[in-house]
Amino acid sequence: RKAKTVSHENKEEPAGQSQPQAAPISGLLVFTVMFSCRLLGALNVPILDCDEVFNYWEPLHFSLFGRGSRTWEYSPRFALRSYFYIFLHAALVMAAEPFLHLLSPFLSKHLMRKKLLFYALRATLACLSSVCDTKLFLSVRRLHHPNTFSSVTVMLFLSCSTGLVFASSALLPSSFAMCLISLASSSLADLVNREALHSESSLRDRTILCMAIAALAGWPFVALLALPMAILLLHFFTFNELILSSIKASLIVLTPMLLIEYLMYGKFVLPSLQIVLYNVLGVGGDSTLYGTEEWWFYLANLTCSFSFPILVLTFLFLISAFPSPLLLFSSP
């Protein structure tokens, strides 16, 4: 039996014949699918979180037009929100405004300037999130080539997730951090692949920098996701190398961030640290003031956000486990 197996494996294929391989899924196709879904969400899905309006759209309006409301989170006493994050998006709006002015003769007259800028920013956020997730897909495809199951799974979850359609165009630090985590995961996958165009040190620095921006300028609680990444990085680099890279990334982020927060709050303050102290340790107030959720809340939310991909993957698993359902009922 063993001899037959060996001879079968060494058997040469006839000339001109080779095993057909499925063509890899195009990155452009994946981006087109993602961006189409997310653009529809940006143009049609209403704002689902009141905090997005009063904590981010209102301060952004104030930064651009000198008029807007302010919530208690922006009080210097609490300093739970980052003006650095607001100014990053204000820069996006100011960069897009000249292009929208050129398109104004071709746009409907009922689209007022602010309304147009609102939709332009949401569409830009949807585009940027699609770019980040497409890059993650391409890294997974390179890592698992020629086996495409992992890359198809990633594409399915990133393209068909209801939660990602909502989050991609939301003006929220958690959405900002989401995009940076995709970039960090992409760099990490390229590092594991060892066949990327960039050096290992540059991929390490890029991974750490993305996580530093996500945690410091975005949503600080995503710093927990840096722990498994750090464990994986320790297989390629020494502990001292990771510390030096982390210090360099922190300085790159904190230098402009602390300057802007000082100009707006009148004191040196780090909102990402403040929100952790307030919500986790209860420093300066009670984080349970507006209620809490049960322990299973995030599991239920995750299931709702990825319901369609989970159903499709379950179906694919069943048909792969039972190629022909008729075999279950066939007689021996």
Side-chain angles (χ1 to χ4, degrees):
R1 182 183 180 93
K2 183 176 180 181
K4 290 182 180 179
T5 303
V6 172
S7 64
H8 175 73
E9 291 178 350
N10 294 334
K11 184 179 180 179
E12 296 182 358
E13 296 182 355
Q17 295 183 9
S18 60
Q19 291 292 333
Q21 293 185 356
I25 302 174
S26 167
L28 179 60
L29 174 62
V30 173
F31 170 79
T32 302
V33 173
M34 285 187 194
F35 182 54
S36 299
C37 296
R38 297 178 185 187
L39 181 61
L40 288 175
L43 299 179
N44 296 284
V45 174
I47 295 177
L48 303 175
D49 189 352
C50 61
D51 282 344
E52 183 180 354
V53 176
F54 296 107
N55 277 306
Y56 301 104
W57 281 109
E58 285 285 348
L60 179 61
H61 187 278
F62 176 80
S63 301
L64 294 170
F65 305 107
R67 187 163 52 88
S69 302
R70 186 188 74 172
T71 62
W72 63 270
E73 288 95 339
Y74 284 92
S75 169
R77 175 187 171 187
F78 299 100
L80 300 181
R81 300 291 182 255
S82 172
Y83 279 102
F84 180 73
Y85 171 80
I86 296 295
F87 287 177
L88 285 177
H89 291 81
L92 283 178
V93 174
M94 290 187 289
E97 191 167 13
F99 297 98
L100 295 177
H101 181 72
L102 295 176
L103 296 175
S104 57
F106 308 98
L107 298 174
S108 175
K109 293 183 179 180
H110 77 277
L111 281 176
M112 297 181 294
R113 174 174 173 242
K114 292 182 181 179
K115 187 176 181 180
L116 191 60
L117 291 174
F118 170 78
Y119 283 113
L121 179 57
R122 296 196 79 187
T124 301
L125 295 177
C127 179
L128 292 176
S129 69
S130 301
V131 170
C132 295
D133 287 341
T134 300
K135 191 175 186 308
L136 174 60
F137 162 79
L138 292 174
S139 297
V140 173
R141 190 185 70 179
R142 286 192 295 267
L143 181 63
H144 293 280
H145 182 77
N147 181 13
T148 60
F149 179 77
S150 297
S151 58
V152 170
T153 303
V154 169
M155 180 197 67
L156 184 64
F157 272 83
L158 294 178
S159 301
C160 304
S161 166
T162 305
L164 284 177
V165 170
F166 292 161
S168 62
S169 59
L171 185 63
L172 290 170
S174 53
S175 295
F176 178 71
M178 174 187 74
C179 297
L180 289 161
I181 290 171
S182 292
L183 292 178
S185 301
S186 172
S187 298
L188 200 58
D190 287 338
L191 176 63
V192 175
N193 191 23
R194 293 179 179 270
E195 295 182 2
L197 298 177
H198 304 280
S199 64
E200 291 186 353
S201 60
S202 65
L203 292 172
R204 173 203 64 203
D205 293 341
R206 187 180 304 175
T207 301
I208 294 175
L209 179 61
C210 288
M211 292 305 300
I213 299 174
L216 294 174
W219 199 235
F221 304 103
V222 302
L224 292 174
L225 297 177
L227 294 178
M229 292 184 179
I231 294 174
L232 183 57
L233 286 173
L234 284 172
H235 288 278
F236 300 92
F237 306 98
T238 64
F239 181 77
N240 290 336
E241 288 175 328
L242 296 187
I243 292 296
L244 290 175
S245 182
S246 300
I247 293 174
K248 181 173 66 174
S250 299
L251 290 176
I252 292 174
V253 180
L254 289 177
T255 301
M257 186 176 180
L258 288 176
L259 178 61
I260 291 177
E261 307 300 352
Y262 176 80
L263 293 175
M264 299 305 297
Y265 282 116
K267 61 180 181 179
F268 285 108
V269 64
L270 188 60
S272 54
L273 176 61
Q274 291 295 111
I275 194 172
V276 172
L277 294 175
Y278 183 89
N279 284 289
V280 178
L281 302 179
V283 176
D286 182 12
S287 61
T288 64
L289 180 64
Y290 300 106
T292 58
E293 294 288 349
E294 297 292 339
W295 64 269
W296 43 263
F297 169 77
Y298 286 107
L299 295 177
N301 191 28
L302 193 66
T303 303
C304 292
S305 297
F306 291 100
S307 55
F308 179 72
I310 289 175
L311 289 175
V312 174
L313 285 177
T314 302
F315 173 74
L316 293 177
F317 171 77
L318 290 176
I319 63 175
S320 62
F322 306 103
S324 176
L326 293 178
L327 294 177
L328 298 176
F329 305 99
S330 60
S331 57

